[in-house]
Amino acid sequence: MTLSQNHSAGRRRFLCGCAGLVGLSTLSLAGCSRDTDGHQSQAPLEIDPQTSCSLDGMLLADFPGPKGQIHYVQDRQVDWFCDTVELLSSLIAPEQVRAVKAAWVQDMAKADWDRPKGHWIDARQAWYVLGSQRKGSMGPTAASFASEADAKAFASNHGGQVHRYADIKPEMVDLTGGALHDTRM
């Protein structure tokens, strides 16, 4: 091999290596973006038949109503929720100290209520209908929507009150009901 051929082969290897590094960088950033605080935000994942609720182990795909997911800054594992009330309770609880990278709920104006898939929206930008006649996996739920108009239309058809995420208080999504407050037992 001549000096010219050796230099050409070395240069080719160097360029291929650089292209490989650029490709790896691009792949590692797929599904990620920067939020307004400069933190990486995680794209929503999709529910599969084995996805279970982080609070009670229920399989999400087996139940109706909107679902949720929280991605934390310091944790690679996603917390899944079979019901938006559970997600909201976890997300806005005063004792919540884990930094949240992203939180997602489903836009129920687009998702099928009985078998919701996809249509993920930012939980902190969503509109919610609390107190409707529609039930989720845990009974009464917070129907989630991308737009106020869709939330109002849902409330008109199914009852309930429309709230912005910022207006929801911990007592509105309290999970301590059930047997604790059942006086018939």
Side-chain angles (χ1 to χ4, degrees):
M1 189 181 287
T2 68
L3 183 60
S4 174
Q5 289 172 324
N6 190 22
H7 176 71
S8 179
R11 185 171 154 200
R12 200 168 331 155
R13 273 190 227 119
F14 174 76
L15 291 173
C16 286
C18 288
L21 287 174
V22 168
L24 283 175
S25 295
T26 302
L27 284 175
S28 69
L29 292 175
C32 294
S33 61
R34 299 266 175 205
D35 65 19
T36 56
D37 296 330
H39 298 102
Q40 276 192 342
S41 60
Q42 177 69 43
L45 301 178
E46 194 50 62
I47 298 168
D48 65 40
Q50 287 74 41
T51 304
S52 63
C53 181
S54 298
L55 296 181
D56 55 29
M58 293 173 61
L59 294 176
L60 275 65
D62 290 349
F63 297 93
K67 313 296 184 238
Q69 55 184 291
I70 298 177
H71 302 251
Y72 295 99
V73 171
Q74 299 296 328
D75 195 352
R76 295 180 71 90
Q77 184 175 340
V78 174
D79 276 0
W80 288 98
F81 299 89
C82 59
D83 192 277
T84 50
V85 172
E86 292 177 334
L87 173 129
L88 290 167
S89 179
S90 296
L91 194 59
I92 66 175
E95 64 274 8
Q96 168 60 280
V97 295
R98 292 167 59 189
V100 173
K101 187 186 300 185
W104 304 99
V105 293
Q106 294 172 302
D107 183 357
M108 297 313 290
K110 296 178 181 174
D112 175 10
W113 189 274
D114 294 319
R115 295 274 182 215
K117 293 186 188 310
H119 305 289
W120 296 102
I121 56 175
D122 185 330
R124 295 170 285 193
Q125 301 300 315
W127 291 84
Y128 296 91
V129 178
L130 296 164
S132 81
Q133 298 165 347
R134 296 297 310 257
K135 304 294 183 215
S137 64
M138 303 302 290
T141 192
S144 46
F145 298 92
S147 77
E148 181 181 20
D150 287 337
K152 285 181 174 180
F154 180 88
S156 176
N157 290 329
H158 303 286
Q161 298 170 334
V162 176
H163 300 277
R164 297 181 65 93
Y165 169 79
D167 297 330
I168 297 176
K169 307 292 180 236
E171 59 272 10
M172 297 167 76
V173 289
D174 184 20
L175 296 177
T176 60
L180 181 63
H181 297 285
D182 190 347
T183 58
R184 298 172 296 163
M185 295 178 83

